[in-house]
């Protein structure tokens, strides 16, 4: 089955700086890679996703890059703000809507004021 | 929008009893629903995949007789934890997808505490 590794487990950055979280996956058949933000005790919220036919996707301060050859993808958050503090999870699946997600272990992002 | 609800939001039960959790897609028809479990400060682990009108597919290591899943309609899936034990205490979260779309919309989760 799929295995998703995520690093770092904790990331502390100064407000206004950039944050980068990296994930690798093992299943070459995976082609859908979402990122979720989860605040304590709440549901995961989709913040951005990317499919294997695209190398990069951007939505305002958030961007995701995908390297299918190396089987890794990364989340980039620029101009970080205090409300960005949360746990971020990467995930992978074979897509198509019928496959569950395999999640990474999560990154606790702390934005220092 | 794509809103998924869960009920109850939290439940406390005695060891040996059964607990039913409902997952509903409120404004769309969900072809597939998923059930995940999340222990404190850990990641989400897929338990099973549920399609309307057919038997659920369970992940390796998840006991199908202990975690009964029923997907009776395109907007409702239920998870029943049978003969619950303290080690079943966890945060159970469902998600749903629209017809042939990958995006999973998550419910708010159900916190189960078994005494």
């Amino acid at each position: 089955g799929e295995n998703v590794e995520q690093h770092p487990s904790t990331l502390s950055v100064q407000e206004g700086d950039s944050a980068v979280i990296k994930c690798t996956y093992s299943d070459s058949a995976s082609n859908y890679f979402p990122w979720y933000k989860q605040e304590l005790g709440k549901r995961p919220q989709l913040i951005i996703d990317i499919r294997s036919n695209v190398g990069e996707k951007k939505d305002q301060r958030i961007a995701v890059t995908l390297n299918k050859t190396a089987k890794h993808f990364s989340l980039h958050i620029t101009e970080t703000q205090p409300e960005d503090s949360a746990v971020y999870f990467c995930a992978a699946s074979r897509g198509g809507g019928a496959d569950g997600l395999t999640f990474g272990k999560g990154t606790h992002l702390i934005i220092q004021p | 929008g794509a809103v998924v609800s869960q009920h109850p939001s939290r439940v406390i039960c005695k060891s040996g009893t059964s607990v039913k959790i409902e997952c509903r897609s409120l404004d769309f028809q969900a072809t597939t629903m998923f059930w995940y479990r999340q222990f404190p400060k850990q990641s989400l682990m897929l338990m099973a995949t549920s399609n309307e009108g057919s038997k659920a597919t369970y992940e390796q290591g998840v006991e199908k007789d202990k975690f009964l899943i029923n997907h009776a309609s395109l907007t409702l899936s239920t998870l029943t934890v049978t003969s619950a034990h303290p080690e079943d205490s966890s945060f159970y979260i469902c998600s749903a997808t629209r017809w042939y779309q990958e995006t999973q919309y998550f419910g708010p989760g159900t916190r189960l505490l078994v005494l």
Side-chain angles (χ1 to χ4, degrees), chain B residues 8 10-21 66 80-90 92 110-115:
Chain B
R10 57 178 61 213
V11 57
I12 301 173
C13 70
K14 292 182 180 179
S15 187
T17 60
S18 294
V19 174
K20 180 185 281 189
I21 302 169
K66 181 168 184 61
T80 301
V81 183
T82 63
S83 186
H85 290 289
E87 57 265 31
D88 298 323
S89 298
S90 187
Y92 292 87
T110 296
R111 192 161 299 282
L112 170 64
L113 178 60
V114 184
L115 302 177

Side-chain angles (χ1 to χ4, degrees), chain A residues 32 36 38 41-44 46 49 51 89 95-101 103-105, chain B residues 4 32 34 36 38 42-44 46 49 91 97 100-104 106-108 111:
Chain A
Y32 174 63
Y36 286 87
Q38 188 180 33
K42 297 192 175 180
R43 77 183 82 195
L46 179 70
D49 57 11
R51 290 166 179 81
F89 292 98
D99 275 358
L101 297 170
F103 283 86
K105 290 190 185 299
Chain B
V4 177
T32 305
F34 304 89
Y36 295 85
Q38 186 176 32
Q42 293 190 24
S43 187
L44 290 84
L46 179 67
T49 301
F91 193 45
T97 57
Y100 285 123
Q101 294 184 19
E102 290 115 343
T103 303
Q104 291 194 20
F106 282 85
R111 192 161 299 282

